[in-house]
Amino acid sequence: MAWILRLVKTGAEGEGPCTDVMEINRPDDLVDIANLGLTLSEAKRLLAGVQREIVAAQAREHAVRRPDCSRCGEVCRLKDYRDHAVATLFGEVTARLPRFRCAACGGIEAGVGWPPRCRSTPELDRLQAHLSALMTYRTAADLLEQMFPVDAGKHHETLRRHTLKVGEALGDYVATRPETAASAIVVTLDSTFIRSCAEGERHLEVRVGNVETPSGGRQVFGAVAKSGTDIRALIRRNLDAVGRAKDTALTAFTDSCPGLRRVLADAGVITRPMLDWFHIAMRLQHLKQIASALPVDDPARAEAKEVIVAEVERLHWRIWNGKARDAQVSIERIRAVMHHFQGEPEEQTCIAPSRKLWTALRALDGYLTSQSAWLVNYAERHRAGLRVGTAITEGTANFLVNRRMNKSQQMRWSRRGADLLLQVRCAVYNGTLGSGFGQKFQPANDTYPQMAIAA
Ligand SMILES: [Zn+2]
């Protein structure tokens, strides 16, 4: 069986000229299910063919328009035609457009309203950026080529260039304030690291965070430190985007880094940021694991281990209930029985459980002492239905940074490249990347970890 795909132009004056786009030949039996309907390659040829015809017709119409001279305002005359190759999602097209010369002053004019140096459509740029935000440039390029009749700009370097350009343009994005102001906003800020490709520099610090309202409005943001993107401006913009007003109650969470607290203050979040329960819970979890691995090869050790495990639990309870000042009591009690584990075979090495416990305990002690000003009564907040931490930010960090840029993939990043890609990833998440493609989607690991809830 064969078909001819014919494109007929219609308008106010009825049907216009028609063009045959392509002939489709398919077997007329379905013995092989692979014969059912169009193949991908036919569909791609079809899209490319339709695109070419439509663009050619559009260019013909466009060429009729005569510009006035931009210098003297006189009428221009046709000079010559130029071919403009433009990459589109449905193939590379060539628009044949006229240039004009002014009859009075001899000035050359391009056509009316044709953008200079236009090599690709915004839709293609945006889809390339969107896909590159989710997967490597190479995979994104391959995917596009598999699915669409793109025949220009499909090299991964091109995708990278377009994506970074989109990321750059996002810097000028102005948040639209929602109609209703938010009564409360929780701001969270955290940092993570990615590998640097620069000589003499191992890691790049990435700051990520989100703003949330009680009604579920949520925006994420992120910036690579010292990349040129101002994280303070991003925070302000995101607060605006979820409806910050004069009387909005702000709550802030961050980790123990003083730099992040300064960033929040500089961004106008002047409420005292609380230490994220998530970070404390991680340390407690670590301590619990070590305690449970202590050997019980004699009764004295079994007894000591029981004391330690119970004290670690009590320590957890104390911090959770805002009694971190009493943490010292637990720490001292653990220290008092630790001598039972001396003389372990591997005692001199850092892998001995007693040695690990000692190290973890000292680290937690120092942490609690230095962070005491930012600890709150987490239990009370939790009972009141308030946030106790930003596990959600940890999820956001994983989603925004680690899954696309992380170390396990052995990727190395330039400061600017990583930052601009991060801007695109945030925009994809927030649904602000263009109009047609910026669909929101949930990060898969964006759940509250059990240990925070079980606290
Ligand atoms: Zn002129």
Side-chain angles (χ1 to χ4, degrees):
M1 279 199 268
W3 294 264
I4 287 182
L5 189 82
R6 185 164 291 162
L7 214 55
V8 185
K9 188 170 178 288
T10 62
E13 62 284 351
E15 284 190 9
C18 66
T19 330
D20 291 353
V21 176
M22 72 180 269
E23 192 182 310
I24 300 163
N25 285 291
R26 301 296 292 149
D28 47 11
D29 67 74
L30 292 176
V31 177
D32 185 351
I33 193 68
N35 292 335
L36 188 70
L38 287 178
T39 62
L40 178 59
S41 77
E42 279 167 336
K44 282 158 79 171
R45 268 202 299 135
L46 187 149
L47 278 171
V50 172
Q51 180 82 323
R52 258 194 317 272
E53 292 304 331
I54 290 176
V55 169
Q58 283 180 308
R60 277 195 299 274
E61 290 289 321
H62 190 90
V64 174
R65 303 163 69 182
R66 290 279 181 276
D68 288 334
C69 176
S70 59
R71 279 177 256 183
C72 69
E74 284 299 311
V75 181
C76 286
R77 288 199 187 136
L78 184 68
K79 179 178 176 280
D80 56 10
Y81 279 87
R82 281 284 169 92
D83 284 346
H84 300 264
V86 181
T88 80
L89 185 51
F90 310 116
E92 187 174 70
V93 293
T94 306
R96 197 167 156 70
L97 293 172
R99 287 194 306 170
F100 303 91
R101 177 180 279 135
C102 172
C105 75
I108 307 283
E109 290 287 327
V112 181
W114 182 256
R117 287 180 298 281
C118 168
R119 298 270 175 276
S120 55
T121 55
E123 188 181 45
L124 177 64
D125 295 350
R126 214 155 50 218
L127 185 60
Q128 286 176 334
H130 192 144
L131 292 177
S132 300
L134 305 178
M135 52 194 96
T136 64
Y137 294 116
R138 215 174 277 270
T139 315
D142 188 45
L143 180 76
L144 265 178
E145 200 182 345
Q146 292 287 327
M147 307 281 290
F148 295 99
V150 284
D151 36 25
K154 59 192 178 191
H155 192 264
H156 59 90
E157 261 308 315
T158 312
L159 260 72
R160 179 175 183 275
R161 216 173 48 241
H162 284 184
T163 305
L164 300 192
K165 223 160 79 186
V166 169
E168 224 167 82
L170 284 167
D172 305 324
Y173 176 78
V174 179
T176 35
R177 287 167 181 270
E179 277 171 26
T180 45
S183 58
I185 302 177
V186 178
V187 193
T188 61
L189 186 64
D190 209 339
S191 67
T192 182
F193 291 88
I194 53 172
R195 289 157 70 102
S196 165
C197 67
E199 200 69 45
E201 187 179 51
R202 291 188 57 193
H203 292 105
L204 300 174
E205 188 190 357
V206 187
R207 283 127 176 213
V208 292
N210 53 227
V211 291
E212 286 175 287
T213 63
S215 59
R218 181 170 174 220
Q219 297 273 299
V220 296
F221 53 86
V224 176
K226 297 178 217 143
S227 65
T229 295
D230 185 2
I231 186 84
R232 298 159 190 85
L234 286 182
I235 295 173
R236 282 188 220 107
R237 186 206 286 174
N238 279 276
L239 286 170
D240 287 347
V242 293
R244 189 242 310 246
K246 262 199 191 114
D247 51 355
T248 300
L250 288 181
T251 308
F253 284 102
T254 185
D255 80 348
S256 54
C257 168
L260 294 181
R261 290 191 188 117
R262 213 159 35 238
V263 166
L264 282 171
D266 291 350
V269 183
I270 47 168
T271 48
R272 173 178 277 272
M274 286 171 245
L275 188 66
D276 192 320
W277 176 253
F278 180 80
H279 292 286
I280 307 168
M282 291 282 281
R283 283 163 190 268
L284 288 168
Q285 186 70 11
H286 180 58
L287 201 59
K288 277 179 204 179
Q289 273 163 3
I290 295 169
S292 68
L294 287 170
V296 283
D297 41 10
D298 66 52
R301 281 187 169 180
E303 207 175 303
K305 180 176 177 176
E306 212 169 290
V307 171
I308 292 170
V309 168
E311 272 316 319
V312 171
E313 280 303 330
R314 201 162 297 150
L315 187 59
H316 185 147
W317 186 90
R318 283 180 162 138
I319 305 171
W320 175 246
N321 285 282
K323 300 180 197 310
R325 255 173 285 128
D326 303 338
Q328 272 305 320
V329 181
S330 290
I331 290 171
E332 287 313 319
R333 279 181 194 158
I334 294 172
R335 278 179 181 155
V337 295
M338 271 188 62
H339 64 270
H340 289 288
F341 296 95
Q342 273 166 9
E344 272 181 86
E346 336 89 311
E347 202 218 336
Q348 293 315 310
T349 68
C350 57
I351 54 144
S354 64
R355 191 64 187 253
K356 275 197 201 161
L357 183 67
W358 182 254
T359 310
L361 208 57
R362 208 171 48 191
L364 184 73
D365 193 11
Y367 184 73
L368 292 175
T369 309
S370 65
Q371 302 306 313
S372 59
W374 289 276
L375 293 164
V376 295
N377 188 331
Y378 297 95
E380 198 177 87
R381 286 186 64 84
H382 190 62
R383 278 195 297 272
L386 298 170
R387 262 213 191 299
V388 294
T390 57
I392 202 149
T393 300
E394 199 70 13
T396 308
N398 276 333
F399 167 74
L400 281 181
V401 180
N402 301 346
R403 248 190 287 157
R404 174 71 174 85
M405 305 175 167
N406 85 5
K407 345 182 199 346
S408 69
Q409 296 194 35
Q410 295 300 315
M411 282 183 194
R412 293 172 171 276
W413 296 88
S414 75
R415 204 174 275 280
R416 190 182 133 77
D419 182 67
L420 294 179
L421 178 66
L422 185 58
Q423 302 317 312
V424 178
R425 272 180 82 78
C426 289
V428 166
Y429 183 94
N430 292 335
T432 51
L433 184 69
S435 49
F437 289 108
Q439 299 304 317
K440 286 190 188 208
F441 57 94
Q442 293 295 316
N445 59 350
D446 196 8
T447 49
Y448 218 63
Q450 283 308 307
M451 61 180 161
I453 291 168

